[in-house]
Amino acid sequence: MSADSSSIPGFVASAQPGAPLADVLTIDPVAMQVTNRVAFGTQCLGDHRFDGGVLVQGALGGFIEVAGRLIVWRGGLVKGQVLVCGDLYLFGTLGEPGAPPQDTVVECLGTAYLASTAVSNATLSAQRLRLYEGAELHGPFKTLKPGLAPPVLR
């Protein structure tokens, strides 16, 4: 399946008419079938498994497995050991600011989209990376070889 954003329900990436070339990300968690949420002001630490994806607006840390999409909203924080069996949409932060990248390790079996507000202080590996202007990638990035990972949930 193509990484083209037109094939992802609820996701739009396009240039603004009349503006300098800039990408716009529009996320619709309902259309994307994201069924779980960590709300603003909430801190969840420990072992977590999410079926159907998760929208993180607060803080989520520990050993985390997401069977679906992981959306880290602006102001949201994800840290620890993370496996995403789908795509990652980062508008917030991966890993504690100032912490070494090996403290947060994220493996994304799909595409990692890092928006202009994204900050990754993590060790990040993914099948594909889409980095938007302004995104900060402070830790290492590694490309996963296709065929070695389980199928991506869409």
Side-chain angles (χ1 to χ4, degrees), residues 2-15:
S2 168
D4 178 28
S5 62
S6 63
S7 66
I8 303 171
F11 176 78
V12 178
S14 63

Side-chain angles (χ1 to χ4, degrees), residues 10 13 18 21 32 37 53 55 58 75 94 98 120 125 138 146 148:
L21 212 51
M32 296 170 78
R37 177 177 173 224
L55 169 63
L94 288 179
S120 177
S125 49
H138 297 292
L148 295 180

Side-chain angles (χ1 to χ4, degrees), residues 79-145:
K79 61 184 180 178
Q81 306 299 309
V82 183
L83 173 63
V84 182
C85 299
D87 294 331
L88 165 67
Y89 300 89
L90 183 63
F91 297 87
T93 305
L94 288 179
E96 290 281 356
Q102 62 269 23
D103 284 2
T104 296
V105 177
V106 178
E107 184 174 346
C108 173
L109 303 182
T111 301
Y113 297 90
L114 277 65
S116 61
T117 58
V119 178
S120 177
N121 303 305
T123 299
L124 178 61
S125 49
Q127 291 260 339
R128 293 165 298 282
L129 174 67
R130 178 79 190 260
L131 192 64
Y132 291 85
E133 186 174 348
E136 297 179 33
L137 187 59
H138 297 292
F141 172 76
K142 180 175 100 173
T143 303
L144 299 173
K145 295 183 191 291

